Amino acid sequence: RESREGPTDYPMWHPLLKFARQFYTRGGREWATVADFLRIELRRLGARAETACPSDTPALLRWLADGMEYGREVLRSQPNQVEQIYAERSPEEQAVAISVVRETVAQAGGLQPRQLLGPVWEYCQSVFDTKHAGSFVAALERVLCFADFAVWIPWVLEARPASVAAAQAARQYRGVRSAAKPGPPQPVPRTGYRNHQDTP
């Protein structure tokens, strides 16, 4: 297994990185984390040209296997990173991501790359426009979809429920802090009642 240490800026020039940057429109930690995996895997698969994006069946199986391993390593060594990635999404977006991963894995019947290959392929076809079928753009779409999905599998299936709850709480807390400050309190009209237990 290749160490994650090394020149993570290679290969910054590959079109897959540029394509992924457009896919993760919000940027943030999710973009940075998945982009790190894309660089590592391109190097592992020997993609040393701008026109090389390994996307045949053996390569897709590698993207799945190595993506799950990478996502699991991030979850183990940087659990706060995963919590912050969850917190970057709205509760609705979190629910969709969790549902898609769980349903696709259930359809696959297991976590072996060969089991996942077909269901993840079907999911990718539903995400990207098929008009690029057979082109280099289609290869980029396929690889990005497989890589993203694989990295998310352990984040959904192996993350502690407390991690997700903490991420949601952090997001809500940031929303409260960024909300407009309330105006000065309004005077409470006198009712003549001595306490809240009094009745009219």
Side-chain angles (χ1 to χ4, degrees), residues 96-115:
V96 169
I98 292 170
S99 175
V100 166
V101 169
R102 287 180 174 168
E103 289 176 7
T104 305
V105 171
Q107 182 183 352
L111 292 175
Q112 294 301 315
R114 288 201 174 276
Q115 293 174 294

Side-chain angles (χ1 to χ4, degrees), residues 103-180:
E103 289 176 7
T104 305
V105 171
Q107 182 183 352
L111 292 175
Q112 294 301 315
R114 288 201 174 276
Q115 293 174 294
L116 289 165
L117 184 65
V120 174
W121 181 279
E122 291 180 9
Y123 166 71
C124 293
Q125 289 179 314
S126 71
V127 172
F128 291 106
D129 193 338
T130 57
K131 68 182 180 182
H132 300 302
S135 68
F136 184 65
V137 173
L140 297 177
E141 292 174 344
R142 206 160 42 241
V143 166
L144 177 58
C145 188
F146 268 74
D148 175 82
F149 197 97
V151 169
W152 267 91
I153 287 176
W155 295 352
V156 169
L157 300 184
E158 300 176 21
R160 298 165 299 170
S163 298
V164 179
Q168 292 173 336
R171 188 178 186 281
Q172 292 171 352
Y173 176 69
R174 286 201 304 271
V176 170
R177 292 192 63 186
S178 63

Side-chain angles (χ1 to χ4, degrees), residues 1-172:
R1 177 172 171 272
E2 182 177 332
S3 171
R4 288 186 59 207
E5 298 179 358
T8 57
D9 59 338
Y10 169 83
M12 279 294 293
W13 40 261
H14 196 279
L16 181 61
L17 276 297
K18 299 176 183 177
F19 188 82
R21 188 65 184 85
Q22 297 174 356
F23 182 77
Y24 296 98
T25 54
R26 66 164 57 88
R29 293 183 181 274
E30 183 179 9
W31 147 248
T33 304
V34 176
D36 186 34
F37 168 63
L38 296 176
R39 296 185 192 103
I40 292 171
E41 196 65 10
L42 284 170
R43 187 168 64 247
R44 283 176 173 173
L45 293 172
R48 299 185 178 277
E50 291 186 357
T51 56
C53 186
S55 60
D56 57 6
T57 297
L60 292 178
L61 293 173
R62 278 287 303 273
W63 284 106
L64 285 171
D66 292 348
M68 286 189 286
E69 180 184 4
Y70 176 83
R72 192 171 292 116
E73 180 182 344
V74 172
L75 181 61
R76 178 189 59 78
S77 61
Q78 305 176 64
N80 292 338
Q81 180 94 329
V82 177
E83 292 174 6
Q84 290 166 353
I85 289 171
Y86 267 104
E88 289 177 344
R89 294 177 171 235
S90 68
E92 294 77 15
E93 291 173 327
Q94 292 179 23
V96 169
I98 292 170
S99 175
V100 166
V101 169
R102 287 180 174 168
E103 289 176 7
T104 305
V105 171
Q107 182 183 352
L111 292 175
Q112 294 301 315
R114 288 201 174 276
Q115 293 174 294
L116 289 165
L117 184 65
V120 174
W121 181 279
E122 291 180 9
Y123 166 71
C124 293
Q125 289 179 314
S126 71
V127 172
F128 291 106
D129 193 338
T130 57
K131 68 182 180 182
H132 300 302
S135 68
F136 184 65
V137 173
L140 297 177
E141 292 174 344
R142 206 160 42 241
V143 166
L144 177 58
C145 188
F146 268 74
D148 175 82
F149 197 97
V151 169
W152 267 91
I153 287 176
W155 295 352
V156 169
L157 300 184
E158 300 176 21
R160 298 165 299 170
S163 298
V164 179
Q168 292 173 336
R171 188 178 186 281
Q172 292 171 352

